[in-house]
Amino acid sequence: MKKNKFNRLALLSAASLLLAVFSAACGTDDSKEGTGAKTADSTPQADKKYKISWVSGQSTPVVKDAKMVKYWNEKLNVELDVWNVESNNYAEMMNLKFASGEIPDRMLTKGFTVLQKYVDQDLLAEIPLDMLKKYAPNVYAKTEKEFPNAFEYAKINGKIYGIPQLNMYDRYRGPVIWRGDWLKNVGITKAPETLEEFETALYKLTNEDPDKNGKKDTYGISKSGVTNIYGAFGYLPDRWNERDGKLVFGAVQPEMKEALKLLNKWYKDGVIDPEFITGENNGGYWALSHAFINGRIGTSSLGVYYHWKPLLFEGDSASHDYVELKKVNAAAADALVYGLPPKGPNGKMGAPQGSMINGNFVSFGKQLEKEPDKLAKILQMIDQISASTYENYVTAMLGIEGQEWTFTDKKVPLLKTGISTQDLEAMGANNVIESLELPEFSAIRNQINVKWATEQGFEKGGIRNQLLTALPSQAKYQAELTKLQEQAYLSIITGDKPLSEFDEFVKKWRGSGGEQMEKEANEWFSKVKK
């Protein structure tokens, strides 16, 4: 082992010396940002058909000789090898691939912690900034326009290891949905706005037989709606936010003690569904609030805004909760009320809202550091497919115009009758070949839904997580800290432990790694602020 190590060091030293001589002879400047695989040496070979292994993660396998795989192969002169990796088991399946020595050329990296992990495992290629700007200029410009300094969040040890996936839907906060027919039945004529109005509505929806069935079988609120109550006190327990110039973790802020006191009162009075511990979803699609759909609770915040919207045009989809409620009670679906999170004692409010950068990245296999021309080719592909023209973007998402979809006069693509998301994935569309759904193009495609969401106020009242990186000690402490938090909050809400348990929880949280994570979060935050 020592001899092998010595030989490697000798080879590396020799290679470094040769590189230094070559750089001096060619007049390169390593002080420039983005050096690494030089753009001058990375021009894709025009006459070469690159074979590129490609992983996105999907719910439906891509069929052999898939239509859109063949389309892009011919259009871009490549040979795509699309790996079928199920999105629900993406991390586990990719770990098995890595363990067997298989690293795809292009992959998704799902989460800041995973990005750090993959870099530590030497699985990812650096993406030099100068190469990114040269071969994916539209991707770079459109990403930076939407989220300035976006690529700073893709850096590990000062190097870029992924193209951030911006999420247009994170322009909007989580939903606050009311059974409008129930509100009317108990004498409430508008969506509650303040915390006091919320409380009044929840008690009425619990105690005044809002469904008029003669039984006391309804509750005001369950797990998803409880989150907005924390927001009325200024923080959400699962995220980091700025306070007095520093990042703090929401769960340990003193205001949360007041929120827990109120929730404990509501729980004792039977306003909170006693089954809130297990949530509102009974299986199947994650965003379905079965408790709301089946007439158990009067307000819900499960899912994303578009899960609750009415069907706005022919071929509209994704309104899962609305559609399911429509099957059970059509009048109730058409009477939904879209509200704001409640304003608390100091005028604060907040439902969960994602960051435009949510920690998901398009990354590239380590082997491409030795094939800079291939990396450049893939960057060119991504740029052409996702960011060059709106038509290319829609083609990548939905297939061929006139065959799978057609444009309206406002450039909104409408799928033809009978074509499903599963059909699109099987042919290699719908984020399979490319997953950079840049907001500029996505907003055009979804303009009808975007207009509706804006009119309903979904751009107001959100709380975003301001920590957009993985912390060095996160893997060590996070699981235990989350467990401590869940146990303390649940025991206080249900009354198993007194309110004073909150103070004990804060001490335990800080002493069990939370203080160290706060330190690391603010070291990162100070750099980002600069």
Side-chain angles (χ1 to χ4, degrees):
M1 286 297 290
K2 290 183 179 179
K3 183 176 179 181
N4 290 340
K5 183 177 180 181
F6 175 79
N7 286 342
R8 286 198 303 271
L9 288 171
L11 286 169
L12 286 170
S13 298
S16 298
L17 180 59
L18 285 170
L19 180 59
V21 172
F22 177 80
S23 297
C26 294
T28 57
D29 181 6
D30 285 340
S31 67
K32 292 181 180 179
E33 186 180 13
T35 56
K38 305 296 181 193
T39 54
D41 303 322
S42 60
T43 304
Q45 299 177 37
D47 59 347
K48 180 177 180 179
K49 178 176 281 191
Y50 291 89
K51 183 173 183 179
I52 299 166
S53 50
W54 195 278
V55 179
S56 289
Q58 67 269 5
S59 59
T60 302
V62 177
V63 300
K64 185 179 180 181
D65 298 324
K67 179 177 182 176
M68 296 312 298
V69 175
K70 292 174 68 176
Y71 174 87
W72 293 114
N73 280 346
E74 293 170 6
K75 188 176 182 68
L76 302 173
N77 189 35
V78 293
E79 184 181 347
L80 285 169
D81 174 21
V82 177
W83 296 5
N84 281 315
V85 176
E86 186 181 356
S87 56
N88 286 342
N89 298 306
Y90 185 86
E92 295 83 354
M93 293 182 72
M94 290 305 295
N95 285 337
L96 289 174
K97 295 283 188 183
F98 297 147
S100 64
E102 298 178 80
I103 305 175
D105 295 319
R106 181 267 189 206
M107 71 190 89
L108 291 186
T109 305
K110 298 187 175 184
F112 293 109
T113 303
V114 176
L115 185 71
Q116 177 77 59
K117 176 183 173 183
Y118 284 0
V119 171
D120 291 343
Q121 293 176 344
D122 210 24
L123 297 171
L124 303 183
E126 178 195 352
I127 311 169
L129 184 59
D130 55 354
M131 180 183 283
L132 180 67
K133 289 180 177 180
K134 181 174 182 178
Y135 295 109
N138 294 298
V139 166
Y140 180 79
K142 285 177 169 57
T143 302
E144 286 289 314
K145 179 182 178 182
E146 188 70 37
F147 198 110
N149 299 315
F151 289 91
E152 289 297 313
Y153 299 96
K155 285 184 176 179
I156 303 292
N157 300 324
K159 297 179 179 179
I160 298 171
Y161 285 98
I163 298 173
Q165 284 188 303
L166 301 185
N167 189 346
M168 184 201 75
Y169 300 115
D170 285 332
R171 289 177 173 173
Y172 308 106
R173 58 161 171 80
V176 180
I177 311 298
W178 294 90
R179 280 286 299 262
D181 55 337
W182 285 14
L183 290 178
K184 183 178 179 181
N185 287 342
V186 298
I188 296 175
T189 58
K190 67 179 183 67
E193 296 178 4
T194 66
L195 196 54
E196 291 79 9
E197 290 174 351
F198 260 68
E199 184 172 64
T200 297
L202 296 180
Y203 275 79
K204 282 179 172 288
L205 295 178
T206 301
N207 298 320
E208 297 185 13
D209 192 19
D211 57 0
K212 300 302 179 185
N213 69 350
K215 301 176 183 178
K216 193 176 187 304
D217 57 357
T218 60
Y219 300 91
I221 198 169
S222 190
K223 188 174 183 179
S224 68
V226 162
T227 303
N228 301 326
I229 307 306
Y230 299 122
F233 291 86
Y235 298 91
L236 295 180
D238 65 344
R239 55 197 59 197
W240 297 79
N241 290 104
E242 186 173 1
R243 182 173 194 156
D244 300 327
K246 294 184 177 181
L247 282 188
V248 297
F249 191 60
V252 295
Q253 299 313 298
E255 290 85 350
M256 294 299 94
K257 189 174 183 178
E258 293 303 309
L260 290 169
K261 181 180 178 180
L262 179 62
L263 291 170
N264 170 248
K265 173 178 176 289
W266 289 359
Y267 186 82
K268 285 193 296 185
D269 291 347
V271 168
I272 299 177
D273 184 349
E275 295 181 7
F276 88 100
I277 298 166
T278 56
E280 303 164 37
N281 177 268
N282 297 331
Y285 189 67
W286 70 274
L288 289 176
S289 176
H290 295 108
F292 187 95
I293 293 166
N294 295 326
R296 186 177 175 89
I297 58 174
T299 184
S300 177
S301 292
L302 191 62
V304 182
Y305 83 89
Y306 56 74
H307 292 130
W308 295 93
K309 67 176 178 58
L311 300 177
L312 300 174
F313 54 87
E314 186 178 353
D316 193 8
S317 61
S319 305
H320 296 80
D321 287 272
Y322 172 84
V323 169
E324 291 304 312
L325 179 59
K326 188 88 170 175
K327 294 176 184 177
V328 175
N329 188 331
D334 292 333
L336 289 177
V337 170
Y338 306 93
L340 290 168
K343 285 185 180 179
N346 297 312
K348 295 181 178 179
M349 58 191 262
Q353 183 170 354
S355 170
M356 292 291 285
I357 290 182
N358 56 17
N360 292 335
F361 304 91
V362 172
S363 297
F364 308 100
K366 182 70 175 181
Q367 65 274 11
L368 294 184
E369 288 187 351
K370 296 179 180 179
E371 300 178 83
D373 59 320
K374 188 175 183 180
L375 175 57
K377 178 66 176 181
I378 299 173
L379 288 172
Q380 282 182 335
M381 287 176 57
I382 290 173
D383 199 70
Q384 186 167 350
I385 294 171
S386 286
S388 60
T389 69
Y390 177 62
E391 288 72 18
N392 274 356
Y393 154 78
V394 176
T395 299
M397 294 298 297
L398 302 179
I400 307 299
E401 182 178 8
Q403 297 179 27
E404 281 74 45
W405 58 273
T406 55
F407 270 139
T408 68
D409 57 352
K410 292 186 177 181
K411 303 293 279 186
V412 175
L414 299 181
L415 282 174
K416 292 201 168 183
T417 303
I419 295 177
S420 67
T421 298
Q422 291 73 24
D423 295 330
L424 296 175
E425 289 189 347
M427 70 171 66
N430 192 46
N431 285 330
V432 175
I433 297 299
E434 190 38 59
S435 301
L436 280 180
E437 195 169 356
L438 291 163
E440 179 179 324
F441 291 158
S442 185
I444 301 171
R445 175 188 165 208
N446 296 287
Q447 59 187 274
I448 298 174
N449 292 340
V450 166
K451 182 176 182 292
W452 179 86
T454 302
E455 290 172 348
Q456 300 301 323
F458 282 99
E459 292 179 313
K460 306 172 185 175
I463 296 180
R464 288 187 163 110
N465 193 353
Q466 291 180 260
L467 179 66
L468 301 178
T469 188
L471 300 176
S473 65
Q474 195 165 339
K476 181 178 180 181
Y477 297 124
Q478 186 67 66
E480 179 61 27
L481 292 177
T482 300
K483 183 179 177 182
L484 278 174
Q485 176 187 325
E486 290 175 348
Q487 290 176 341
Y489 273 51
L490 181 60
S491 65
I492 293 171
I493 291 173
T494 59
D496 289 343
K497 291 189 177 180
L499 188 61
S500 59
E501 176 66 18
F502 179 80
D503 302 314
E504 293 301 314
F505 154 66
V506 173
K507 290 178 185 177
K508 290 178 184 176
W509 187 90
R510 296 194 186 283
S512 301
E515 192 170 6
Q516 175 62 26
M517 288 180 63
E518 281 183 336
K519 178 176 178 290
E520 294 169 359
N522 280 288
E523 287 173 352
W524 170 84
F525 192 54
S526 64
K527 293 176 184 176
V528 171
K529 288 181 72 175
K530 290 178 182 177

